[in-house]
């Protein structure tokens, strides 16, 4: 065997082997292992780092910082950190936004938010987000075709006459809340919604403190002509508990005793401005057709009487004969 080979004798036959690790190909910081020392098996030694990273036939790369490849993109707004730089641990780097508390593992973080991308204004209104960032939320503006707009929520696009009032103009909800007027009637029908916890109230500012959304909303409020129960001419709506949903009570305007909870009452009819006396009373109103016949009959009798009187006036008057001895003047 050559000088770099080891001789093993088995039953009188010499076997030459090669231990590639004898030349220290892995350096001083890595462990070298050559599991197959056959002269025909070359470059199959293994270099192993102290952190477990291995490589075959070459020196292992023990440390690799994934952030060196700038995986977060624009480092002006994001910072990259690799918590485990072992070369065999990949895809654990973290991209963290510099201006807002947002981060992402194994990919760039989203440090800017265009609130209009979620279509908060609906299909019939335009949306503009002047400041796109997670530190500047609820500042998008919804605008109707008529030009009416609202900040932080959908605008009310209903036509407003000169006699109507948009109660939200006075900013009754305060800061941190969105205001929308349901029907433009000056009666506390505007609705306030908290940006922070989603709490909703009708006719007053909502309570936005805390994580739980405590809403107070009058479910009866729909418009100046309708309630949750339907047309105001047919049904009355009452909501005694503003914090509970679907507990409003519908009752017929006609006081028929028909009621329903959480939905319109069945069988109600529109109230009439005319008062109909009870059947069988002394003030029972005659049908219009009978009244017309009676009036026509009276007129006919009067006309006949007038005609007879005129006829009599036109008849010649009888001449009175003078009595004997009288003088006729």
């Amino acid at each position: 065997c050559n000088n770099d080979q080891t001789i093993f004798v088995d039953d009188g036959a010499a076997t030459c082997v090669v231990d590639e690790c004898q030349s220290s190909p892995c350096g001083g910081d890595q462990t070298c292992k050559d599991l197959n020392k056959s002269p025909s098996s070359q470059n199959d030694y293994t270099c192993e780092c102290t952190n477990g990273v291995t490589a075959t036939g070459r020196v292992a790369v023990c440390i690799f910082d994934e952030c060196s490849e700038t995986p977060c993109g624009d480092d002006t707004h994001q910072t990259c950190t690799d918590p485990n730089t072992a070369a065999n641990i990949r895809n654990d780097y973290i991209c963290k936004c510099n201006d807002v508390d947002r981060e992402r593992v194994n990919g760039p973080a989203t440090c800017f938010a265009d609130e209009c991308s979620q279509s908060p204004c609906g299909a019939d209104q335009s949306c503009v987000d002047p400041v796109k960032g997670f530190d500047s939320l609820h500042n998008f503006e919804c605008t109707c075709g008529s030009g009416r707009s609202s900040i932080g929520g959908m605008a009310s696009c209903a036509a407003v006459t000169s006699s109507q009032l948009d109660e939200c103009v006075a900013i009754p909800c305060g800061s941190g809340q969105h205001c929308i007027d349901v029907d433009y009637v000056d009666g506390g029908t505007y609705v306030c919604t908290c940006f922070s916890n989603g709490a909703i109230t009708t006719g007053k500012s909502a309570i936005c403190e805390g994580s739980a959304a405590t809403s107070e909303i009058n479910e009866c409020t729909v418009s100046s002509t309708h309630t949750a129960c339907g047309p105001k001419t047919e049904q009355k709506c009452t909501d005694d508990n503003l914090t509970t949903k679907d507990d409003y009570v519908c009752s017929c305007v006609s006081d028929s005793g028909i009621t329903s909870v959480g939905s319109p009452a069945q069988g109600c009819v529109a109230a009439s401005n005319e008062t109909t006396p009870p059947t069988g009373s002394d003030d029972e109103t005659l049908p219009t057709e009978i009244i017309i016949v009676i009036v026509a009959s009276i007129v006919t009798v009067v006309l006949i009487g007038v005609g007879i009187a005129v006829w009599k006036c036109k008849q010649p008057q009888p001449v009175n004969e003078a009595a004997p001895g009288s003088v006729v003047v």
Side-chain angles (χ1 to χ4, degrees):
C1 296
N2 297 328
N3 293 331
D4 60 348
Q5 296 176 342
T6 303
I7 302 174
F8 291 91
V9 179
D10 185 12
D11 296 334
T15 301
C16 299
V17 297
V18 177
D19 188 351
E20 295 182 274
C21 291
Q22 287 182 348
S23 60
S24 301
C26 298
D29 297 331
Q30 301 182 26
T31 302
C32 181
K33 297 179 182 179
D34 188 3
L35 301 180
N36 189 346
K37 298 179 177 62
S38 171
S40 61
S41 177
Q42 300 292 313
N43 298 321
D44 62 345
Y45 65 93
T46 301
C47 296
E48 182 175 358
C49 304
T50 57
N51 59 12
V53 177
T54 62
T56 300
R58 62 180 175 83
V59 177
V61 178
C62 300
I63 297 176
F64 178 74
D65 188 348
E66 294 184 274
C67 292
S68 62
E69 297 180 343
T70 318
C72 298
D74 183 8
D75 56 3
T76 303
H77 300 96
Q78 300 187 39
T79 300
C80 179
T81 57
D82 189 354
N84 190 339
T85 56
N88 61 341
I89 304 298
R90 298 296 183 97
N91 302 325
D92 64 334
Y93 66 93
I94 301 172
C95 296
K96 182 177 178 60
C97 300
N98 297 332
D99 300 325
V100 292
D101 187 19
R102 292 182 64 86
E103 64 182 28
R104 181 184 177 187
V105 178
N106 190 29
T110 303
C111 298
F112 298 94
D114 185 350
E115 296 183 274
C116 291
S117 63
Q118 303 299 320
S119 303
C121 301
D124 299 328
Q125 301 182 31
S126 62
C127 180
V128 176
D129 190 359
V131 181
K132 299 175 179 63
F134 288 100
D135 56 345
S136 180
L137 298 176
H138 311 297
N139 66 334
F140 64 92
E141 183 175 12
C142 298
T143 304
C144 306
S146 62
R148 291 182 58 84
S149 62
S150 177
I151 302 296
M154 292 184 65
S156 182
C157 297
V160 183
T161 65
S162 58
S163 62
Q164 292 177 313
L165 172 68
D166 184 354
E167 295 181 275
C168 291
V169 172
I171 315 179
C173 299
S175 62
Q177 301 185 35
H178 173 247
C179 179
I180 186 169
D181 196 344
V182 176
D183 57 7
Y184 299 119
V185 176
D186 187 12
T189 56
Y190 62 91
V191 177
C192 299
T193 304
C194 293
F195 293 138
S196 60
N197 59 12
I200 303 174
T201 58
T202 301
K204 66 178 182 179
S205 181
I207 300 175
C208 299
E209 292 81 7
S211 58
T214 303
S215 301
E216 293 185 6
I217 184 168
N218 190 337
E219 296 181 280
C220 291
T221 303
V222 175
S223 70
S224 58
T225 58
H226 287 68
T227 67
C229 301
K232 291 182 177 180
T233 57
E234 297 182 6
Q235 301 192 34
K236 296 181 291 184
C237 184
T238 305
D239 190 0
D240 294 329
N241 191 343
L242 302 181
T243 61
T244 305
K245 188 178 180 181
D246 296 330
D247 66 335
Y248 59 92
V249 179
C250 300
S251 59
C252 298
V253 174
S254 59
D255 292 330
S256 62
I258 301 175
T259 61
S260 177
V261 177
S263 62
Q266 302 298 318
C268 296
V269 295
S272 175
N273 294 327
E274 298 181 359
T275 302
T276 304
T279 304
S281 65
D282 295 337
D283 298 329
E284 185 174 359
T285 303
L286 292 175
T288 303
E289 293 80 359
I290 297 178
I291 295 176
I292 294 175
V293 172
I294 294 175
V295 172
S297 300
I298 294 174
V299 172
T300 302
V301 171
V302 172
L303 292 176
I304 292 175
V306 172
I308 293 175
V310 171
W311 177 78
K312 287 184 177 181
C313 291
K314 291 182 178 182
Q315 297 301 314
Q317 299 294 325
V319 179
N320 294 329
E321 294 181 357
S326 61
V327 179
V328 177
V329 179

